[in-house]
């Protein structure tokens, strides 16, 4: 049985535009979620679900799959 982490990352934030790719402690915010899921060792696959090409590109860079 595969264990999958799904990280939702909507592109259109009303309060903080582009927040998932904004720099936070030297890296895009979405990268912290991806790296934490990887470090946990609990998941066979990490998937980011997003409607933004920018978020998708950053997520792939940090090792997540973006199939949608």
């Amino acid at each position: 049985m595969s264990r999958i982490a799904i990280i939702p990352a909507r592109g259109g934030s009303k309060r903080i535009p582009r927040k998932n790719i904004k720099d936070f402690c030297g890296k895009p915010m979405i990268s912290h979620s991806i790296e934490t899921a990887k470090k946990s060792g609990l998941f066979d696959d990490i998937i980011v679900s997003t409607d933004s090409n920018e978020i998708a590109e950053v997520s792939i860079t940090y090792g997540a799959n973006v199939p949608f």
Side-chain angles (χ1 to χ4, degrees):
M1 176 187 278
S2 291
R3 295 171 294 178
I4 300 171
I6 299 175
I7 302 170
R10 200 172 71 114
S13 175
K14 292 182 181 182
R15 292 185 198 189
I16 305 171
R18 303 175 69 221
K19 75 176 173 189
N20 287 303
I21 56 174
K22 287 231 186 251
D23 186 63
F24 181 73
C25 295
K27 296 185 272 187
M29 286 183 67
I30 190 74
S31 72
H32 294 279
S33 299
I34 295 167
E35 289 178 346
T36 299
K38 289 170 84 173
K39 286 179 188 175
S40 75
L42 296 173
F43 305 106
D44 299 316
D45 196 10
I46 300 165
I47 296 174
V48 173
S49 175
T50 185
D51 57 351
S52 165
N53 289 335
E54 286 181 299
I55 294 171
E57 289 173 14
V58 171
S59 298
I60 290 167
T61 301
Y62 282 90
N65 292 318
V66 186
F68 320 114

